[in-house]
Amino acid sequence: MLTLSIQNLSVHFSGNHVINDVSATLHGGEMVAVVGRNGVGKTTLIKAIARLIKRSGDVALYDDKGNLFSDRDIAYVPQLESVTSRLTAFEMILLGLVKDLRWKVTDEQIEKVADTLAELGLDSLSRKPVCSLSGGQKQLVFMAQAFVSRPKVLLLDEPTSALDLRHQLTRPHPQRRRETPKRLEIGLFASVLDHRQVGACDASQPTQHVLR
């Protein structure tokens, strides 16, 4: 079983303490939510864990034997914003393998993209330009882009911000398997607090208290 250890994580912008001394331990099989109002530092926390911004503290991913995993095993899906790319859904997902791409795309890489499309039920969108898709469809494509590299940890920034994504994820469809892609062990996502989540945790407390 994998463990994601976050120890004394802090982020400062221009002398302001955005995230201060956050510690948490996540284990394989867990899906954890960081819930809070806009502007409290959820995105900053997620980006700090993914090493996308300067931070202090330590983040380590390891197994029961103490073997450490690299940053390549942690994938980040940003909050959906305006997408104008004419790339097809297939091409956009292929970019999730950018660290392994060369001048020529291999059959194995094509197969990985095709498998990910099938696992998320996105086969019908494969050849469509991403800019032509609905908000929820775009968000699913970017999730697939993260899944295609088969990460151990998935970090999601407001994954249900597109309203029809919730509908697509919950409605039955005979051709969709909606399986979690193989080998994903830990999920951490940030979400804006709404009236249905008030009882989940007290987001007015310091971030480290909410995580613990």
Side-chain angles (χ1 to χ4, degrees), residues 63-76:
D63 62 17
D64 291 338
K65 297 180 180 180
N67 298 314
L68 289 173
F69 290 81
S70 72
D71 293 346
R72 292 169 65 103
D73 291 297
I74 300 178
Y76 167 74

mmCIF file with all atom_site columns, all heavy atoms in Angstrom, residues 63-76:
data_model
loop_
_atom_site.group_PDB
_atom_site.id
_atom_site.type_symbol
_atom_site.label_atom_id
_atom_site.label_alt_id
_atom_site.label_comp_id
_atom_site.label_asym_id
_atom_site.label_entity_id
_atom_site.label_seq_id
_atom_site.pdbx_PDB_ins_code
_atom_site.Cartn_x
_atom_site.Cartn_y
_atom_site.Cartn_z
_atom_site.occupancy
_atom_site.B_iso_or_equiv
_atom_site.pdbx_formal_charge
_atom_site.auth_seq_id
_atom_site.auth_comp_id
_atom_site.auth_asym_id
_atom_site.auth_atom_id
_atom_site.pdbx_PDB_model_num
ATOM 1   N N   . ASP A 1 63 ? 6.074  3.183  -0.567  1.00 0.00 ? 63 ASP A N   1
ATOM 2   C CA  . ASP A 1 63 ? 5.284  1.978  -0.317  1.00 0.00 ? 63 ASP A CA  1
ATOM 3   C C   . ASP A 1 63 ? 5.629  1.377  1.034   1.00 0.00 ? 63 ASP A C   1
ATOM 4   O O   . ASP A 1 63 ? 6.417  1.948  1.807   1.00 0.00 ? 63 ASP A O   1
ATOM 5   C CB  . ASP A 1 63 ? 5.469  0.960  -1.451  1.00 0.00 ? 63 ASP A CB  1
ATOM 6   C CG  . ASP A 1 63 ? 6.914  0.475  -1.579  1.00 0.00 ? 63 ASP A CG  1
ATOM 7   O OD1 . ASP A 1 63 ? 7.706  0.661  -0.626  1.00 0.00 ? 63 ASP A OD1 1
ATOM 8   O OD2 . ASP A 1 63 ? 7.258  -0.076 -2.639  1.00 0.00 ? 63 ASP A OD2 1
ATOM 9   N N   . ASP A 1 64 ? 5.054  0.206  1.316   1.00 0.00 ? 64 ASP A N   1
ATOM 10  C CA  . ASP A 1 64 ? 5.240  -0.431 2.617   1.00 0.00 ? 64 ASP A CA  1
ATOM 11  C C   . ASP A 1 64 ? 6.695  -0.802 2.895   1.00 0.00 ? 64 ASP A C   1
ATOM 12  O O   . ASP A 1 64 ? 7.103  -0.927 4.055   1.00 0.00 ? 64 ASP A O   1
ATOM 13  C CB  . ASP A 1 64 ? 4.384  -1.705 2.705   1.00 0.00 ? 64 ASP A CB  1
ATOM 14  C CG  . ASP A 1 64 ? 2.900  -1.395 2.747   1.00 0.00 ? 64 ASP A CG  1
ATOM 15  O OD1 . ASP A 1 64 ? 2.557  -0.256 3.125   1.00 0.00 ? 64 ASP A OD1 1
ATOM 16  O OD2 . ASP A 1 64 ? 2.100  -2.272 2.401   1.00 0.00 ? 64 ASP A OD2 1
ATOM 17  N N   . LYS A 1 65 ? 7.472  -0.976 1.843   1.00 0.00 ? 65 LYS A N   1
ATOM 18  C CA  . LYS A 1 65 ? 8.880  -1.354 2.007   1.00 0.00 ? 65 LYS A CA  1
ATOM 19  C C   . LYS A 1 65 ? 9.797  -0.145 2.079   1.00 0.00 ? 65 LYS A C   1
ATOM 20  O O   . LYS A 1 65 ? 11.013 -0.292 2.164   1.00 0.00 ? 65 LYS A O   1
ATOM 21  C CB  . LYS A 1 65 ? 9.299  -2.265 0.856   1.00 0.00 ? 65 LYS A CB  1
ATOM 22  C CG  . LYS A 1 65 ? 8.537  -3.583 0.796   1.00 0.00 ? 65 LYS A CG  1
ATOM 23  C CD  . LYS A 1 65 ? 9.006  -4.440 -0.360  1.00 0.00 ? 65 LYS A CD  1
ATOM 24  C CE  . LYS A 1 65 ? 8.237  -5.760 -0.413  1.00 0.00 ? 65 LYS A CE  1
ATOM 25  N NZ  . LYS A 1 65 ? 8.681  -6.610 -1.555  1.00 0.00 ? 65 LYS A NZ  1
ATOM 26  N N   . GLY A 1 66 ? 9.201  1.050  2.019   1.00 0.00 ? 66 GLY A N   1
ATOM 27  C CA  . GLY A 1 66 ? 10.004 2.257  2.100   1.00 0.00 ? 66 GLY A CA  1
ATOM 28  C C   . GLY A 1 66 ? 10.557 2.729  0.773   1.00 0.00 ? 66 GLY A C   1
ATOM 29  O O   . GLY A 1 66 ? 11.357 3.677  0.726   1.00 0.00 ? 66 GLY A O   1
ATOM 30  N N   . ASN A 1 67 ? 10.152 2.074  -0.325  1.00 0.00 ? 67 ASN A N   1
ATOM 31  C CA  . ASN A 1 67 ? 10.613 2.491  -1.646  1.00 0.00 ? 67 ASN A CA  1
ATOM 32  C C   . ASN A 1 67 ? 9.939  3.805  -2.037  1.00 0.00 ? 67 ASN A C   1
ATOM 33  O O   . ASN A 1 67 ? 8.709  3.918  -1.995  1.00 0.00 ? 67 ASN A O   1
ATOM 34  C CB  . ASN A 1 67 ? 10.291 1.423  -2.691  1.00 0.00 ? 67 ASN A CB  1
ATOM 35  C CG  . ASN A 1 67 ? 10.991 0.111  -2.408  1.00 0.00 ? 67 ASN A CG  1
ATOM 36  O OD1 . ASN A 1 67 ? 12.188 0.093  -2.114  1.00 0.00 ? 67 ASN A OD1 1
ATOM 37  N ND2 . ASN A 1 67 ? 10.255 -0.990 -2.481  1.00 0.00 ? 67 ASN A ND2 1
ATOM 38  N N   . LEU A 1 68 ? 10.745 4.782  -2.432  1.00 0.00 ? 68 LEU A N   1
ATOM 39  C CA  . LEU A 1 68 ? 10.213 6.091  -2.811  1.00 0.00 ? 68 LEU A CA  1
ATOM 40  C C   . LEU A 1 68 ? 9.805  6.111  -4.271  1.00 0.00 ? 68 LEU A C   1
ATOM 41  O O   . LEU A 1 68 ? 10.464 5.525  -5.130  1.00 0.00 ? 68 LEU A O   1
ATOM 42  C CB  . LEU A 1 68 ? 11.262 7.178  -2.553  1.00 0.00 ? 68 LEU A CB  1
ATOM 43  C CG  . LEU A 1 68 ? 11.559 7.514  -1.094  1.00 0.00 ? 68 LEU A CG  1
ATOM 44  C CD1 . LEU A 1 68 ? 12.734 8.483  -1.005  1.00 0.00 ? 68 LEU A CD1 1
ATOM 45  C CD2 . LEU A 1 68 ? 10.330 8.116  -0.422  1.00 0.00 ? 68 LEU A CD2 1
ATOM 46  N N   . PHE A 1 69 ? 8.692  6.821  -4.559  1.00 0.00 ? 69 PHE A N   1
ATOM 47  C CA  . PHE A 1 69 ? 8.239  7.016  -5.933  1.00 0.00 ? 69 PHE A CA  1
ATOM 48  C C   . PHE A 1 69 ? 8.544  8.450  -6.351  1.00 0.00 ? 69 PHE A C   1
ATOM 49  O O   . PHE A 1 69 ? 8.688  9.345  -5.521  1.00 0.00 ? 69 PHE A O   1
ATOM 50  C CB  . PHE A 1 69 ? 6.739  6.733  -6.040  1.00 0.00 ? 69 PHE A CB  1
ATOM 51  C CG  . PHE A 1 69 ? 6.386  5.282  -5.891  1.00 0.00 ? 69 PHE A CG  1
ATOM 52  C CD1 . PHE A 1 69 ? 6.297  4.703  -4.628  1.00 0.00 ? 69 PHE A CD1 1
ATOM 53  C CD2 . PHE A 1 69 ? 6.156  4.486  -7.000  1.00 0.00 ? 69 PHE A CD2 1
ATOM 54  C CE1 . PHE A 1 69 ? 5.994  3.372  -4.474  1.00 0.00 ? 69 PHE A CE1 1
ATOM 55  C CE2 . PHE A 1 69 ? 5.845  3.141  -6.856  1.00 0.00 ? 69 PHE A CE2 1
ATOM 56  C CZ  . PHE A 1 69 ? 5.755  2.583  -5.595  1.00 0.00 ? 69 PHE A CZ  1
ATOM 57  N N   . SER A 1 70 ? 8.631  8.668  -7.653  1.00 0.00 ? 70 SER A N   1
ATOM 58  C CA  . SER A 1 70 ? 9.017  9.978  -8.169  1.00 0.00 ? 70 SER A CA  1
ATOM 59  C C   . SER A 1 70 ? 7.804  10.874 -8.392  1.00 0.00 ? 70 SER A C   1
ATOM 60  O O   . SER A 1 70 ? 6.644  10.435 -8.272  1.00 0.00 ? 70 SER A O   1
ATOM 61  C CB  . SER A 1 70 ? 9.771  9.822  -9.489  1.00 0.00 ? 70 SER A CB  1
ATOM 62  O OG  . SER A 1 70 ? 8.877  9.434  -10.521 1.00 0.00 ? 70 SER A OG  1
ATOM 63  N N   . ASP A 1 71 ? 8.086  12.128 -8.759  1.00 0.00 ? 71 ASP A N   1
ATOM 64  C CA  . ASP A 1 71 ? 7.011  13.078 -9.056  1.00 0.00 ? 71 ASP A CA  1
ATOM 65  C C   . ASP A 1 71 ? 6.167  12.634 -10.241 1.00 0.00 ? 71 ASP A C   1
ATOM 66  O O   . ASP A 1 71 ? 5.031  13.067 -10.399 1.00 0.00 ? 71 ASP A O   1
ATOM 67  C CB  . ASP A 1 71 ? 7.601  14.463 -9.350  1.00 0.00 ? 71 ASP A CB  1
ATOM 68  C CG  . ASP A 1 71 ? 8.241  15.086 -8.120  1.00 0.00 ? 71 ASP A CG  1
ATOM 69  O OD1 . ASP A 1 71 ? 7.990  14.582 -7.005  1.00 0.00 ? 71 ASP A OD1 1
ATOM 70  O OD2 . ASP A 1 71 ? 8.985  16.063 -8.270  1.00 0.00 ? 71 ASP A OD2 1
ATOM 71  N N   . ARG A 1 72 ? 6.718  11.789 -11.096 1.00 0.00 ? 72 ARG A N   1
ATOM 72  C CA  . ARG A 1 72 ? 5.975  11.300 -12.265 1.00 0.00 ? 72 ARG A CA  1
ATOM 73  C C   . ARG A 1 72 ? 4.761  10.481 -11.851 1.00 0.00 ? 72 ARG A C   1
ATOM 74  O O   . ARG A 1 72 ? 3.848  10.280 -12.661 1.00 0.00 ? 72 ARG A O   1
ATOM 75  C CB  . ARG A 1 72 ? 6.895  10.457 -13.150 1.00 0.00 ? 72 ARG A CB  1
ATOM 76  C CG  . ARG A 1 72 ? 7.999  11.231 -13.827 1.00 0.00 ? 72 ARG A CG  1
ATOM 77  C CD  . ARG A 1 72 ? 9.006  10.274 -14.441 1.00 0.00 ? 72 ARG A CD  1
ATOM 78  N NE  . ARG A 1 72 ? 8.426  9.490  -15.520 1.00 0.00 ? 72 ARG A NE  1
ATOM 79  C CZ  . ARG A 1 72 ? 8.636  9.732  -16.804 1.00 0.00 ? 72 ARG A CZ  1
ATOM 80  N NH1 . ARG A 1 72 ? 9.396  10.734 -17.182 1.00 0.00 ? 72 ARG A NH1 1
ATOM 81  N NH2 . ARG A 1 72 ? 8.090  8.968  -17.726 1.00 0.00 ? 72 ARG A NH2 1
ATOM 82  N N   . ASP A 1 73 ? 4.752  9.992  -10.621 1.00 0.00 ? 73 ASP A N   1
ATOM 83  C CA  . ASP A 1 73 ? 3.628  9.184  -10.136 1.00 0.00 ? 73 ASP A CA  1
ATOM 84  C C   . ASP A 1 73 ? 2.540  10.029 -9.495  1.00 0.00 ? 73 ASP A C   1
ATOM 85  O O   . ASP A 1 73 ? 1.569  9.491  -8.967  1.00 0.00 ? 73 ASP A O   1
ATOM 86  C CB  . ASP A 1 73 ? 4.134  8.146  -9.137  1.00 0.00 ? 73 ASP A CB  1
ATOM 87  C CG  . ASP A 1 73 ? 4.983  7.076  -9.802  1.00 0.00 ? 73 ASP A CG  1
ATOM 88  O OD1 . ASP A 1 73 ? 4.441  6.344  -10.648 1.00 0.00 ? 73 ASP A OD1 1
ATOM 89  O OD2 . ASP A 1 73 ? 6.182  6.983  -9.487  1.00 0.00 ? 73 ASP A OD2 1
ATOM 90  N N   . ILE A 1 74 ? 2.702  11.344 -9.519  1.00 0.00 ? 74 ILE A N   1
ATOM 91  C CA  . ILE A 1 74 ? 1.694  12.264 -8.998  1.00 0.00 ? 74 ILE A CA  1
ATOM 92  C C   . ILE A 1 74 ? 1.205  13.138 -10.156 1.00 0.00 ? 74 ILE A C   1
ATOM 93  O O   . ILE A 1 74 ? 1.991  13.837 -10.784 1.00 0.00 ? 74 ILE A O   1
ATOM 94  C CB  . ILE A 1 74 ? 2.268  13.156 -7.878  1.00 0.00 ? 74 ILE A CB  1
ATOM 95  C CG1 . ILE A 1 74 ? 2.761  12.288 -6.715  1.00 0.00 ? 74 ILE A CG1 1
ATOM 96  C CG2 . ILE A 1 74 ? 1.213  14.145 -7.386  1.00 0.00 ? 74 ILE A CG2 1
ATOM 97  C CD1 . ILE A 1 74 ? 3.399  13.088 -5.589  1.00 0.00 ? 74 ILE A CD1 1
ATOM 98  N N   . ALA A 1 75 ? -0.087 13.063 -10.460 1.00 0.00 ? 75 ALA A N   1
ATOM 99  C CA  . ALA A 1 75 ? -0.654 13.827 -11.577 1.00 0.00 ? 75 ALA A CA  1
ATOM 100 C C   . ALA A 1 75 ? -1.571 14.922 -11.049 1.00 0.00 ? 75 ALA A C   1
ATOM 101 O O   . ALA A 1 75 ? -2.255 14.740 -10.033 1.00 0.00 ? 75 ALA A O   1
ATOM 102 C CB  . ALA A 1 75 ? -1.434 12.905 -12.509 1.00 0.00 ? 75 ALA A CB  1
ATOM 103 N N   . TYR A 1 76 ? -1.593 16.038 -11.761 1.00 0.00 ? 76 TYR A N   1
ATOM 104 C CA  . TYR A 1 76 ? -2.381 17.203 -11.350 1.00 0.00 ? 76 TYR A CA  1
ATOM 105 C C   . TYR A 1 76 ? -3.333 17.597 -12.466 1.00 0.00 ? 76 TYR A C   1
ATOM 106 O O   . TYR A 1 76 ? -2.946 17.694 -13.632 1.00 0.00 ? 76 TYR A O   1
ATOM 107 C CB  . TYR A 1 76 ? -1.436 18.368 -11.043 1.00 0.00 ? 76 TYR A CB  1
ATOM 108 C CG  . TYR A 1 76 ? -2.108 19.717 -10.895 1.00 0.00 ? 76 TYR A CG  1
ATOM 109 C CD1 . TYR A 1 76 ? -2.844 20.030 -9.750  1.00 0.00 ? 76 TYR A CD1 1
ATOM 110 C CD2 . TYR A 1 76 ? -2.003 20.681 -11.893 1.00 0.00 ? 76 TYR A CD2 1
ATOM 111 C CE1 . TYR A 1 76 ? -3.450 21.267 -9.612  1.00 0.00 ? 76 TYR A CE1 1
ATOM 112 C CE2 . TYR A 1 76 ? -2.600 21.925 -11.758 1.00 0.00 ? 76 TYR A CE2 1
ATOM 113 C CZ  . TYR A 1 76 ? -3.327 22.212 -10.618 1.00 0.00 ? 76 TYR A CZ  1
ATOM 114 O OH  . TYR A 1 76 ? -3.930 23.438 -10.484 1.00 0.00 ? 76 TYR A OH  1
#
